[in-house]
Amino acid sequence: ESIQTAQNLFARILAGEEQVTAVLRTYDESTHEYWWEEVRYKTIFDELHRPIKALAMGQDVTEKIEAQKHSEALSNEMRNIVDAIPGGVAIYRVSDIFETVFFSRGVPDLTGYTVEEYHELIKEDAAKMTYPDDTDMVTRKIREACQYNTEADFDFRKQHRNGSIVWVHVNGKKIGEDHGAPLIQCVFHNITKQKQTEIKLSLIHI
């Protein structure tokens, strides 16, 4: 990877770029260890603007790169833990719309979408992912939980991609603010089978 980066770097210098920066993984023969180096090149041109030499300055950024890699590893580990939670977890920024800040894999799973498909569906307003007849109720209860710092705890419907109805229980709580708008964390559970059983029992009693 570093060899490819270095090749691209020199190609850019030869193409006439005056300043080029790259991060390379370098081998230190004296210690027999690899380290990360940020290299900055400044190209010197002749009177015809042809590159004739390059001045280079290197800086050891191993600690910074390793810290980034450690942070990414922890982030991926936390993502795997959250994805393993039954149901789905999401965080919304509540303004005039419901902006999705984060969602676990379980959220799109509720309605049969992939993570990539769900990203596209919630770009404008996540509230649109509720069943249309329940949207006003859902947004009202979530806004009330944010306004009064109370817990949102209720059932609502979502529409599966195959057209069927999915019953969902949500438990939501405000966890802070972002740019003056409340952030609410919601935990979702699929309770469709439970609801279907309740409906059947109610019909029997009638």
Side-chain angles (χ1 to χ4, degrees):
E1 184 181 346
S2 289
I3 294 175
Q4 183 65 49
T5 302
Q7 289 174 340
N8 292 338
L9 185 149
F10 288 117
R12 290 167 61 190
I13 292 174
L14 293 173
E17 288 192 40
E18 184 175 349
Q19 295 188 33
V20 180
T21 302
V23 176
L24 306 174
R25 192 164 183 254
T26 306
Y27 181 69
D28 187 338
E29 292 186 356
S30 63
T31 61
H32 303 291
E33 293 180 346
Y34 285 96
W35 57 290
W36 291 96
E37 180 183 17
E38 183 179 69
V39 185
R40 298 184 180 185
Y41 286 91
K42 180 177 176 61
T43 309
I44 306 300
F45 301 93
D46 62 15
E47 63 278 3
L48 298 177
H49 200 69
R50 294 176 298 193
I52 54 176
K53 64 180 178 178
L55 302 178
M57 181 179 70
Q59 179 182 3
D60 186 346
V61 292
T62 303
E63 194 171 307
K64 176 183 176 182
I65 296 297
E66 294 300 333
Q68 288 176 346
K69 289 181 174 292
H70 181 64
S71 177
E72 290 171 2
L74 285 177
S75 179
N76 289 334
E77 184 177 347
M78 285 302 298
R79 162 66 78 169
N80 291 334
I81 292 172
V82 172
D83 282 341
I85 297 174
V89 180
I91 297 174
Y92 303 101
R93 181 175 180 269
V94 183
S95 56
D96 54 331
I97 63 170
F98 281 52
E99 180 184 350
T100 305
V101 177
F102 166 85
F103 67 85
S104 70
R105 186 178 299 275
V107 177
D109 283 350
L110 288 168
T111 45
Y113 291 99
T114 66
V115 170
E116 293 74 22
E117 290 170 335
Y118 197 77
H119 267 298
E120 292 298 315
L121 291 169
I122 60 173
K123 276 185 175 180
E124 295 181 5
D125 188 352
K128 293 181 179 180
M129 292 304 295
T130 60
Y131 189 67
D133 290 349
D134 290 352
T135 302
D136 288 344
M137 179 270 291
V138 171
T139 56
R140 174 174 53 80
K141 287 182 177 289
I142 294 295
R143 291 185 190 281
E144 286 175 354
C146 291
Q147 181 179 355
Y148 301 111
N149 202 23
T150 55
E151 194 172 279
D153 190 39
F154 59 93
D155 304 336
F156 69 101
R157 293 168 292 179
K158 294 171 74 74
Q159 190 153 12
H160 197 277
R161 69 181 305 165
N162 64 14
S164 64
I165 296 297
V166 178
W167 278 95
V168 178
H169 178 80
V170 59
N171 184 275
K173 190 169 182 62
K174 181 181 174 182
I175 58 172
E177 292 191 355
D178 179 46
H179 293 88
L183 293 172
I184 189 166
Q185 177 179 282
C186 294
V187 179
F188 302 99
H189 292 285
N190 188 333
I191 58 168
T192 303
K193 289 184 179 180
Q194 175 186 330
K195 280 291 183 180
Q196 288 173 341
T197 301
E198 289 175 1
I199 292 171
K200 288 178 181 178
L201 288 175
S202 66
L203 292 175
I204 292 173
H205 291 308
I206 291 174

